[in-house]
Amino acid sequence: MEKKIIGKAYVLGDNIDTDQIIPAEHLVYSTNDPEELKKYGHYALSSVPVEKAGLPDGGIPFIKGDDHKSEYSIVIGGTNFGCGSSREHAPLSLQVAGVKVVIAQSYARIFYRNSVDGGFVIPYESQLKLNDKIKTGDQVELNVEENRLTNHTDGKIYQLNPLGDVFEIVAAGGLFEFARTSGMI
Amino acid sequence: MRMTITEKILAKSSKRTSVIPGENVWLDVDVLMTHDVCGPPTIAIWKKEFGEKAKIWDKEKLVIFPDHYIFTKNSHANRNVDILRQFASEYDLPNYYDVGTERYKGVCHIALAEEGYNVPGTVLFGTDSHTCTSGAFGMFATGVGNTDAAFILGTGKIWEKIPESMKFTFYGKMPGYLTAKDLILQILGDIGTDGATYRAMEFDGEAVNSLSMYERMTLTNMAIEAGGMNGIIAVDETTKNYLGDIGVDEYDEFKSDDDAVYHSKYSYDVSKIEPLVAKPHSPDNRDTVRNVEGTKLTKCYIGSCTGGKITDFRYAAEILLGNEVKVTTFVVPASTAVAKQLEEETIKGFSLKNIFENAGCILAESSCAACLGGPSDTIGRSVEGDVVISTTNRNFPGRMGSKSSQVYLASPLTVAASAIRGVITDPRELL
Ligand code: SF4
């Protein structure tokens, strides 16, 4: 597990549901064909309404043109991130697009589990609501050991909740790795 | 120790005498359910992780229903069904319900009930967020992603955090103009789409007990819309009769202790609840039908695991009998068994199917269809500018197709009344 994760922030509103993260019509692509997998990155966050894409101003595409990688590697949300369906394609598509961490005030259970158990992105909980404090494009740095987020653009520092119970699974890289290292399978 | 029904079932499944909310436990899974969207990636992860020695922990406990993207020309979607078919034949799976055969059932959550997989006291996991639907049968049922499902497929086990429980009690006698959909929209408006995150939602009270199993499934189905881990209703005579009819008669009945501890308790007098809608673009954006009456519609949709059960069509037919719809109205039975019932059941000598046809509705084959948008050739899919009223469970942007469409969620009574007028209409005006 990396100790420091640095990248540009992409800021979203509250209640970002899985249909906004990866619209259902794209769930047909194979997840183990490397070429098709890229589609998940390409369509990541494609159903977020334009005015809410990249806050505070909106209108900032997460993915440009035909790309499948985003220039943003840290997604900042508000409350109830990842609500909606059980599709694991949601954290997967963020990972394919190059996202390493999501920081939200709260998560829907299945998205949270999928992120952790699949080892796709690290779902951090912020103590404060950060999606009205950080702007899309800000350069931010996550210190994983100290659960601290620094916004280099304005110099502000925020404390995040420790990963708690799931830390070991996150550190192992997912449920299977965790189960292997602990001798379960 | 005093425990809620959910805690008792999870204690049994984790082989403990008691459990406490917040602790993580490993559960023994009784049934794993998957479908055509999440089945193929689940199988891929299972093969990759367990490698050559990949073994299904218990074939009898694996249930697969292709149901999401079924009647489409989309080659990727068809390929997903082919993968399931091949997997089922390779491993000789007893519980695979293939498309294009007599065994095809339609939407998984309804088929689970009809086929007897919902057994009180057991633990069911599914790769679908609405797996919570099965909780109507006094069991623990919840949704997981593909990695968790692949882990269960190989081991029969999964970790879970014991949820706190919330209790929702509905007092009084259900008025004829209300359905279970109105009750759950009431709760969603009160607690919001994250009001029950990581918690169990337990439903009881005279009004809940008066509901049929299918109506109860509308309540538990939408527990996930409040973020709930599971929805649950204790077994009673109605449950026993339903199960008896389909030959399920061995199960454990659990009930919450009178002094069990709850995160919170809500109680409602159903005589005070009005027909409700969830306005665009969230299931908790509740309003009364009266307040949005007159909103012009372009489509009506009656279908899905929430609103495509036989009880939903009975409600709709009651209003549509002898009337004609003013806007395009889709009727999508959740399961093939429901489709059959539409032909067999009659009101005043007309089959429900005839009632819908005579009213000018478009009848589709059983599947998830436009409930989740689906590939571009999906029947009923919303297009730009659409204003839809639907009996489904989600109206997030783009959920039913176009992200510029507006979707209102409502009961089958409200949708049928609105179909006749072409504008959102309170069913009390037509009953
Ligand atoms: S009918 Fe809709 S909510 Fe139900 S399982 Fe299908 S897509 Fe999901």
Side-chain angles (χ1 to χ4, degrees):
Chain A
M1 191 173 172
E2 292 169 71
K3 297 200 167 82
K4 279 197 176 130
I5 297 167
I6 302 173
K8 274 206 226 172
Y10 190 78
V11 184
L12 294 165
D14 295 338
N15 300 310
I16 295 296
D17 69 89
T18 53
D19 279 284
Q20 293 182 66
I21 300 172
I22 182 74
E25 65 182 298
H26 304 308
L27 303 180
V28 295
Y29 302 115
S30 166
T31 49
N32 55 347
D33 174 307
E35 273 311 301
E36 279 187 45
L37 189 64
K38 288 181 185 166
K39 300 261 191 197
Y40 285 106
H42 177 66
Y43 290 113
L45 295 177
S46 62
S47 224
V48 176
V50 180
E51 66 281 7
K52 291 184 180 155
L55 297 176
D57 299 333
I60 305 174
F62 178 66
I63 297 282
K64 288 204 184 113
D66 294 336
D67 232 333
H68 69 279
K69 284 276 178 205
S70 172
E71 59 185 285
Y72 307 98
S73 58
I74 298 184
V75 169
I76 311 276
T79 52
N80 202 24
F81 194 94
C83 58
S85 87
S86 69
R87 67 191 72 155
E88 190 161 301
H89 313 71
L92 168 81
S93 65
L94 294 177
Q95 183 195 43
V96 176
V99 173
K100 296 226 162 89
V101 189
V102 177
I103 299 170
Q105 210 181 359
S106 62
Y107 292 89
R109 167 183 161 267
I110 307 179
F111 180 89
Y112 185 83
R113 278 187 79 102
N114 287 346
S115 300
V116 169
D117 285 355
F120 299 113
V121 292
I122 309 177
Y124 259 103
E125 277 174 15
S126 59
Q127 296 175 353
L128 299 173
K129 195 165 149 58
L130 296 184
N131 61 345
D132 53 7
K133 297 185 176 60
I134 295 171
K135 295 188 181 64
T136 297
D138 283 0
Q139 187 76 17
V140 296
E141 175 178 333
L142 175 73
N143 180 324
V144 174
E145 285 179 326
E146 291 169 16
N147 305 309
R148 197 178 58 217
L149 185 76
T150 306
N151 185 349
H152 289 300
T153 304
D154 64 9
K156 296 215 168 94
I157 295 174
Y158 305 99
Q159 202 54 43
L160 308 175
N161 288 336
L163 290 168
D165 285 346
V166 300
F167 179 83
E168 286 178 28
I169 302 177
V170 172
L175 180 61
F176 280 95
E177 287 73 11
F178 170 77
R180 257 181 228 114
T181 50
S182 58
M184 262 196 84
I185 56 171
Chain B
M1 214 189 101
R2 43 206 187 133
M3 286 191 281
T4 66
I5 177 168
T6 299
E7 289 154 13
K8 288 184 185 179
I9 296 170
L10 296 181
K12 173 186 159 220
S13 167
S14 59
K15 300 198 182 73
R16 296 178 176 218
T17 46
S18 65
V19 291
I20 300 166
E23 66 179 333
N24 283 330
V25 294
W26 285 90
L27 301 174
D28 287 336
V29 177
D30 293 296
V31 170
L32 172 68
M33 186 280 296
T34 189
H35 52 52
D36 56 304
V37 171
C38 294
T42 297
I43 296 165
I45 296 169
W46 170 76
K47 283 197 171 146
K48 175 174 155 263
E49 298 290 349
F50 290 101
E52 289 297 304
K53 55 178 184 1
K55 255 191 73 194
I56 297 171
W57 105 99
D58 189 338
K59 283 200 272 185
E60 294 292 332
K61 295 178 173 178
L62 173 64
V63 188
I64 307 180
F65 297 106
D67 59 354
H68 276 57
Y69 300 157
I70 298 309
F71 305 109
T72 171
K73 293 207 168 67
N74 185 301
S75 59
H76 289 112
N78 294 335
R79 180 186 60 187
N80 276 341
V81 179
D82 291 341
I83 293 173
L84 295 182
R85 187 172 294 139
Q86 212 193 326
F87 179 68
S89 88
E90 188 181 342
Y91 290 89
D92 198 17
L93 298 182
N95 308 320
Y96 174 61
Y97 296 89
D98 205 2
V99 189
T101 72
E102 288 277 297
R103 283 174 67 77
Y104 176 65
K105 295 293 173 225
V107 182
C108 54
H109 310 299
I110 304 311
L112 279 172
E114 291 167 349
E115 296 302 303
Y117 293 107
N118 288 348
V119 178
T122 61
V123 168
L124 183 152
F125 279 78
T127 60
D128 191 284
S129 61
H130 291 104
T131 303
C132 51
T133 311
S134 297
F137 289 79
M139 62 195 287
F140 177 85
T142 192
V144 285
N146 309 330
T147 300
D148 285 348
F151 195 89
I152 297 171
L153 192 56
T155 65
K157 291 186 188 302
I158 195 67
W159 69 274
E160 191 59 90
K161 193 194 277 290
I162 304 294
E164 289 184 288
S165 291
M166 297 170 82
K167 191 172 194 158
F168 300 88
T169 308
F170 288 92
Y171 295 103
K173 194 173 165 297
M174 281 289 275
Y177 51 82
L178 282 192
T179 76
K181 186 63 167 287
D182 300 289
L183 306 189
I184 191 71
L185 289 178
Q186 174 72 37
I187 293 175
L188 280 161
D190 288 347
I191 69 172
T193 52
D194 57 356
T197 299
Y198 254 109
R199 298 197 195 108
M201 296 174 76
E202 190 177 319
F203 305 96
D204 71 358
E206 181 191 347
V208 172
N209 295 337
S210 75
L211 299 174
S212 66
M213 288 316 291
Y214 291 113
E215 277 282 271
R216 294 178 188 192
M217 286 161 76
T218 303
L219 289 179
T220 49
N221 175 279
M222 289 186 73
I224 185 66
E225 263 54 74
M229 182 189 286
N230 65 314
I232 195 157
I233 299 170
V235 171
D236 67 359
E237 284 310 307
T238 305
T239 327
K240 289 183 194 167
N241 290 338
Y242 182 100
L243 291 170
D245 287 348
I246 57 169
V248 178
D249 33 41
E250 266 180 49
Y251 44 82
D252 289 332
E253 287 175 47
F254 292 100
K255 285 202 168 22
S256 293
D257 293 323
D258 289 338
D259 54 356
V261 179
Y262 288 88
H263 165 273
S264 48
K265 290 183 180 176
Y266 291 77
S267 55
Y268 298 94
D269 173 352
V270 285
S271 70
K272 303 238 162 66
I273 298 176
E274 286 200 48
L276 298 169
V277 291
K279 297 184 289 189
H281 291 284
S282 185
D284 63 353
N285 195 10
R286 178 193 68 204
D287 209 337
T288 59
V289 176
R290 286 252 191 264
N291 279 344
V292 292
E293 241 184 336
T295 305
K296 230 174 137 6
L297 298 165
T298 60
K299 268 182 194 153
C300 298
Y301 189 95
I302 310 172
S304 84
C305 54
T306 335
K309 300 174 263 80
I310 189 63
T311 41
D312 299 298
F313 293 115
R314 277 181 204 143
Y315 283 127
E318 191 186 331
I319 289 203
L320 286 169
L321 175 66
N323 284 303
E324 270 179 49
V325 298
K326 270 224 179 79
V327 285
T328 315
T329 299
F330 297 92
V331 166
V332 191
S335 71
T336 52
V338 174
K340 199 157 158 264
Q341 271 174 292
L342 293 187
E343 291 178 19
E344 291 165 0
E345 275 197 32
T346 56
I347 301 179
K348 300 204 175 122
F350 293 93
S351 74
L352 301 189
K353 187 175 175 203
N354 273 336
I355 295 171
F356 295 129
E357 282 169 346
N358 294 343
C361 302
I362 299 169
L363 271 78
E365 289 185 82
S366 305
S367 83
C368 293
C371 170
L372 85 166
S376 56
D377 59 350
T378 302
I379 191 164
R381 195 175 194 278
S382 75
V383 295
E384 205 177 323
D386 260 344
V387 183
V388 188
I389 192 161
S390 171
T391 63
T392 52
N393 45 35
R394 288 192 177 135
N395 58 348
F396 299 127
R399 167 70 179 184
M400 291 189 78
S402 166
K403 64 175 165 178
S404 74
S405 61
Q406 312 265 324
V407 178
Y408 290 78
L409 305 178
S411 79
L413 288 173
T414 302
V415 173
S418 303
I420 293 168
R421 298 259 172 99
V423 296
I424 295 181
T425 302
D426 194 309
R428 285 173 287 191
E429 290 172 27
L430 287 155
L431 279 170

